[in-house]
């Protein structure tokens, strides 16, 4: 439809759940990425681009609304594992980077947002304190089947092809003939923290991050 109507660009909003997908949601996101990138190869007019984000802070159905509901209703927070960490981005920043990717994208790229990783336990602790409680209300229940302790923003084979667009936006570009690479518009970044375990911030930083997002 996009090609038939000569739409300039199609931006697919993916998720880091597409990386090493082990659930239905992640598999559909991975399949979506593959279809979009394949479409770009076969397209004459329309440019197809992927934006791979992380967990949207306080989005509907996510961990923060869930923890708030548990605190309000039962004065407890149920946490599956104390060592769990996840990449987070606030909604305004995700929108900003999505629009920037749409503007910059020339077709066939996978854009990545630079994100901080938070301990889920620290989020639970922050919310407990906010509601006048302490850490004793956090109950560890054990991992559920298929649940990951950590997560990644890129697959192993993609990590050698990550380039820096600016301080907040990166791109996976496996085609070395891309004009951005030739002209030095983007620079290879071998230090991009794509694994959540390597990008975890402190509790104090987490508290500031959540306060800045009006959590």
């Amino acid at each position: 439809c996009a090609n038939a109507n000569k739409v300039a660009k199609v931006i697919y909003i993916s998720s880091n759940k597409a990386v090493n997908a082990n659930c239905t949601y992640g598999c559909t996101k991975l399949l979506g990425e593959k279809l979009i990138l394949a479409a770009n190869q076969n397209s004459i007019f329309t440019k197809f681009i992927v934006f791979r984000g992380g967990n949207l802070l306080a989005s509907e159905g996510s961990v923060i609304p869930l923890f708030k509901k548990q605190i309000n209703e039962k004065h407890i927070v149920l946490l599956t594992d104390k060592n769990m960490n996840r990449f987070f981005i606030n909604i305004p920043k995700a929108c900003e980077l999505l629009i920037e990717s749409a503007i910059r994208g020339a077709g066939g790229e996978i854009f990545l947002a630079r994100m901080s990783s938070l301990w889920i336990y620290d989020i639970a602790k922050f919310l407990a304190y906010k509601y006048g409680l302490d850490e004793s209300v956090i109950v560890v229940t054990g991992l559920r089947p298929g649940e990951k302790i950590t997560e990644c923003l890129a697959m192993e084979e993609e990590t050698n092809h990550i380039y820096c667009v600016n301080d907040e936006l990166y791109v996976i570009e496996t085609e070395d003939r891309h004009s951005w690479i030739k002209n030095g518009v983007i620079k290879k970044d071998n230090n991009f923290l794509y694994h959540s375990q390597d990008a975890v911030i402190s509790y104090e930083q987490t508290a500031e991050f959540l306060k800045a997002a009006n959590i």
Side-chain angles (χ1 to χ4, degrees):
C1 288
N3 274 316
N5 290 280
K6 294 188 176 180
V7 173
K9 294 181 180 180
V10 171
I11 315 299
Y12 175 68
I13 303 177
S14 186
S15 164
N16 60 334
K17 303 301 184 290
V19 178
N20 304 321
N22 67 343
C23 64
T24 302
Y25 176 75
C27 289
T28 60
K29 287 296 187 183
L30 176 59
L31 180 58
E33 286 191 5
K34 299 296 185 184
L35 289 170
I36 285 291
L37 296 178
N40 189 72
Q41 290 181 341
N42 300 317
S43 175
I44 297 173
F45 186 86
T46 304
K47 305 302 181 186
F48 293 86
I49 299 152
V50 173
F51 177 80
R52 186 189 291 168
N55 299 284
L56 288 175
L57 197 64
S59 59
E60 186 175 348
S62 64
V63 67
I64 290 177
L66 175 63
F67 284 173
K68 283 183 175 181
K69 183 178 180 183
Q70 291 174 350
I71 291 171
N72 283 323
E73 293 181 355
K74 299 180 180 179
H75 300 293
I76 62 169
V77 178
L78 300 178
L79 180 67
T80 55
D81 193 286
K82 192 172 182 178
N83 296 312
M84 186 174 292
N85 48 70
R86 291 288 186 270
F87 282 108
F88 283 93
I89 187 170
N90 65 52
I91 294 173
K93 179 57 67 177
C95 293
E96 178 187 323
L97 295 180
L98 173 60
I99 292 170
E100 186 173 356
S101 300
I103 293 169
R104 287 178 175 270
E109 302 92 0
I110 299 177
F111 284 95
L112 303 174
R114 182 177 184 178
M115 292 176 284
S116 296
S117 176
L118 279 61
W119 297 109
I120 304 301
Y121 185 89
D122 281 352
I123 296 175
K125 184 166 72 170
F126 174 84
L127 292 174
Y129 289 159
K130 184 174 180 179
Y131 283 85
L133 305 171
D134 58 31
E135 294 178 60
S136 65
V137 302
I138 303 173
V139 179
V140 179
T141 60
L143 284 177
R144 295 169 294 188
E147 193 171 23
K148 297 178 181 179
I149 293 287
T150 62
E151 62 184 10
C152 293
L153 286 173
M155 294 177 229
E156 194 66 37
E157 60 269 24
E158 295 174 329
T159 57
N160 292 323
H161 305 281
I162 296 178
Y163 292 80
C164 177
V165 178
N166 56 41
D167 289 343
E168 298 179 319
L169 194 63
Y170 290 74
V171 65
I172 296 172
E173 184 48 68
T174 58
E175 181 53 77
D176 290 340
R177 290 173 295 176
H178 197 298
S179 63
W180 291 354
I181 299 172
K182 279 184 172 182
N183 299 326
V185 175
I186 56 177
K187 301 291 185 182
K188 201 165 189 178
D189 191 322
N190 296 318
N191 299 311
F192 180 76
L193 299 179
Y194 68 93
H195 197 291
S196 63
Q197 186 70 38
D198 299 327
V200 180
I201 59 178
S202 67
Y203 174 75
E204 290 73 22
Q205 291 171 312
T206 295
E208 291 303 314
F209 179 73
L210 296 175
K211 288 175 184 176
N214 295 317
I215 303 300

